[in-house]
Amino acid sequence: SATRELIFGVNVLGQYGIGPRYIDHKGYEQVISLEPYDGLPGDNGLKNEAWIAEVVAGAWIDRRNNRLNPDSGWNASVNAGLAHEGLGGDFDFMQVTGGATTYIPVVSGTYAVFGGRAGHSVPFGVTQGIPLDRRFFVGGGGSLRGYKEESVGPLIAAPCPSGVTCDASVGGDLFGVYSAELRYQLIRDVFEVVLFHDGGQAWLQRSSQPGAVVNPDRIFTSIGTGLRLRTPVGPLQLDYAFQTTAVPPVQSPADLLNSPGRFHITIGEF
């Protein structure tokens, strides 16, 4: 049977939440949050410091054989949020995100994993663009392996510590990522070796600084291999991915978009 919880939380960032949560194979969640925002000049059309007041509702279904270390079944989720000045904030926008993953046994000890996530945000009213804290960032172990964390997507010219101009990632209001993996259990239910392919991108369609933003013109992809150690809190993942998309060199060495690949260490599933 479903377990019902009443959640109330406060964290150091000033976010507050209250609402019912049903935990079962099917469920939904409602959260009302209010948090301070420090973003790019002009993002709210008024000031640099502002508040985001948001109501979020979500639904999910989980048919995996094990929620922490699955090797068969599937799960999916969708979330929708509305930020509005009437809730006490300074922004008006809507946001929808969703994702799904399926685990398919191939032969004994081997299974395939296919997953994808996407999201879209739309400002309205006096809000010209999505605030930085609510944009989508792509890149890194949790989304697109082989690239620096949150480095893939729209770019804007920004000053670097060295005094030169660099390309900085500013996040998008539209994104999509996917992953395909083939996993083989070297030690059953303990240790696995993985081959994988990732792809994804983010785009900024609406901004208070439209002329300054350079949107990508292609999907970025990567291939790689890795190891999985199953633990009581989910799989511990060690991956190395090679970039398979030709990327123009960037002026900032810190971005490393033109690096041939990267190591990633993460815990949990895609």
Side-chain angles (χ1 to χ4, degrees), residues 161-228:
S162 60
V164 300
T165 299
C166 302
D167 291 325
S169 175
V170 295
D173 50 27
L174 174 67
F175 91 103
V177 294
Y178 68 86
S179 177
E181 296 189 355
L182 184 64
R183 303 180 183 178
Y184 174 70
Q185 298 187 13
L186 292 175
I187 303 177
R188 188 169 184 83
D189 297 329
V190 177
F191 193 66
E192 302 173 341
V193 62
V194 180
L195 298 175
F196 62 83
H197 165 65
D198 291 350
Q201 191 53 270
W203 298 267
L204 189 59
Q205 300 177 305
R206 299 170 180 85
S207 171
S208 58
Q209 302 167 300
V213 176
V214 179
N215 271 296
D217 60 359
R218 67 199 118 176
I219 300 295
F220 285 3
T221 58
S222 65
I223 58 173
T225 185
L227 302 173
R228 301 285 183 274

Side-chain angles (χ1 to χ4, degrees), residues 100-102 113-117 177-181 270:
T101 306
T102 184
V113 183
F114 301 96
R117 297 197 307 273
V177 294
Y178 68 86
S179 177
E181 296 189 355
F270 177 81

Side-chain angles (χ1 to χ4, degrees), residues 2 22-27 60-64 67 76:
Y22 296 88
I23 301 176
D24 198 2
H25 289 301
K26 298 180 180 179
W60 64 89
I61 184 169
D62 194 341
R63 298 302 187 193
R64 296 173 296 176
R67 296 191 182 185

Side-chain angles (χ1 to χ4, degrees), residues 6 10 41 108 129 142 148 153 169 228-229 259:
L6 184 62
V10 179
S108 179
K148 184 185 175 184
S169 175
R228 301 285 183 274
L229 176 64
S259 169

Side-chain angles (χ1 to χ4, degrees), residues 31-203:
V31 176
I32 299 176
S33 65
L34 185 66
E35 63 184 76
Y37 167 68
D38 268 327
L40 294 175
D43 269 356
N44 63 340
L46 297 172
K47 52 191 176 181
N48 291 344
E49 295 184 359
W51 288 81
I52 301 171
E54 185 178 21
V55 178
V56 180
W60 64 89
I61 184 169
D62 194 341
R63 298 302 187 193
R64 296 173 296 176
N65 64 332
N66 186 309
R67 296 191 182 185
L68 294 177
N69 295 289
D71 52 28
S72 66
W74 61 276
N75 68 321
S77 65
V78 62
N79 292 279
L82 172 67
H84 197 273
E85 292 183 8
L87 299 172
D90 297 299
F91 296 92
D92 298 322
F93 64 89
M94 298 177 291
Q95 186 173 91
V96 177
T97 60
T101 306
T102 184
Y103 303 80
I104 304 174
V106 180
V107 295
S108 179
T110 304
Y111 62 102
V113 183
F114 301 96
R117 297 197 307 273
H120 191 203
S121 300
V122 179
F124 62 92
V126 299
T127 302
Q128 301 177 45
I130 302 301
L132 194 66
D133 290 356
R134 286 296 182 273
R135 292 182 189 171
F136 305 116
F137 290 85
V138 174
S143 58
L144 179 55
R145 289 165 286 191
Y147 299 86
K148 184 185 175 184
E149 297 291 330
E150 301 184 349
S151 66
V152 174
L155 301 175
I156 191 170
C160 286
S162 60
V164 300
T165 299
C166 302
D167 291 325
S169 175
V170 295
D173 50 27
L174 174 67
F175 91 103
V177 294
Y178 68 86
S179 177
E181 296 189 355
L182 184 64
R183 303 180 183 178
Y184 174 70
Q185 298 187 13
L186 292 175
I187 303 177
R188 188 169 184 83
D189 297 329
V190 177
F191 193 66
E192 302 173 341
V193 62
V194 180
L195 298 175
F196 62 83
H197 165 65
D198 291 350
Q201 191 53 270
W203 298 267

